[in-house]
Amino acid sequence: MKKLFLSCAVVGLLFAGAVRAENYAGLGYGISWNGGHAWTDGRKSDYDTFSKMLSVFAGTVIPTEKFDLRLEGEYLHLNLKPDHGKTRRFRALMANATGVIPNTGWWAEPYVGLGLGYARWDHNNTIAAQGIAGLEKYFELPEWANNTAMAAAVEYRHLWVNEKGGKRNNTSKMNSDTIMFKLKYLF
């Protein structure tokens, strides 16, 4: 887990060259409803299952004239049980870009974004993509914390993956809808 967090932090900090950029790192935890189908040995099995989702991320905020752009690296982890109760692990390294919707006057900042990444589902490698929408609230820390801040967010994600390959040329498709609570430390 330490190597994965360090990898996400390095990816996020690679984007930190912009003037006035704020860096951040955090954790997310949520529940997801997963649906899809799997072709295994010529048989199709549909599944609907709930699972927990873990996210570790790091990135930077780049202010622009119209909105704040966030670029981040993220590690995602899901445990699914699509094939008659057999647990399948889904892990992905994602590159996300989100934009804060400006001037809403809400109690929290709304944001939307997209992510694309490299995933490992069970024992096969594939591409994953996700749509992101959320609300985030910032909290200033005391002066002794050197102008750092914390943020809490509630986020919805739609993640989709198509898997092909394996020893028997099995295929599967997974869609995951997640509600996640995130904590972020800005430095």
Side-chain angles (χ1 to χ4, degrees), residues 23-181:
N23 300 309
Y24 61 88
L27 295 170
Y29 185 78
I31 55 171
S32 66
W33 173 79
N34 310 294
H37 63 268
W39 285 93
T40 308
D41 297 329
R43 280 189 347 212
K44 181 180 178 185
S45 57
D46 293 321
Y47 62 89
D48 293 324
T49 182
F50 284 94
S51 67
K52 299 172 192 170
M53 181 179 198
L54 173 67
S55 169
V56 178
F57 57 90
T60 191
V61 178
I62 302 171
T64 67
E65 289 182 22
K66 302 274 186 197
F67 62 91
D68 287 346
L69 176 66
R70 299 178 189 160
L71 301 173
E72 70 183 22
E74 176 184 36
Y75 168 74
L76 294 176
H77 183 91
L78 281 167
N79 281 336
L80 305 170
K81 293 186 177 183
D83 301 324
H84 309 291
K86 176 187 169 194
T87 298
R88 297 183 73 193
R89 288 187 177 93
F90 173 79
R91 298 173 303 273
L93 288 175
M94 304 292 290
N96 300 325
T98 57
V100 175
I101 301 169
N103 305 322
T104 60
W106 296 0
W107 61 274
E109 292 183 337
Y111 61 91
V112 294
L114 296 171
L116 185 64
Y118 176 77
R120 184 144 176 93
W121 188 0
D122 213 4
H123 300 293
N124 297 319
N125 301 323
T126 188
I127 300 294
Q130 63 184 348
I132 302 167
L135 286 172
E136 186 168 60
K137 177 74 174 169
Y138 287 89
F139 304 96
E140 295 297 324
L141 295 178
E143 286 184 26
W144 55 263
N146 296 326
N147 296 325
T148 59
M150 294 289 293
V154 175
E155 187 173 276
Y156 165 78
R157 293 183 180 207
H158 180 75
L159 175 73
W160 57 95
V161 179
N162 286 322
E163 174 194 44
K164 295 180 181 178
K167 292 180 181 176
R168 298 181 182 135
N169 202 20
N170 298 332
T171 62
S172 59
K173 179 178 181 177
M174 186 261 295
N175 292 302
S176 176
D177 291 295
T178 301
I179 297 292
M180 185 183 309
F181 177 73

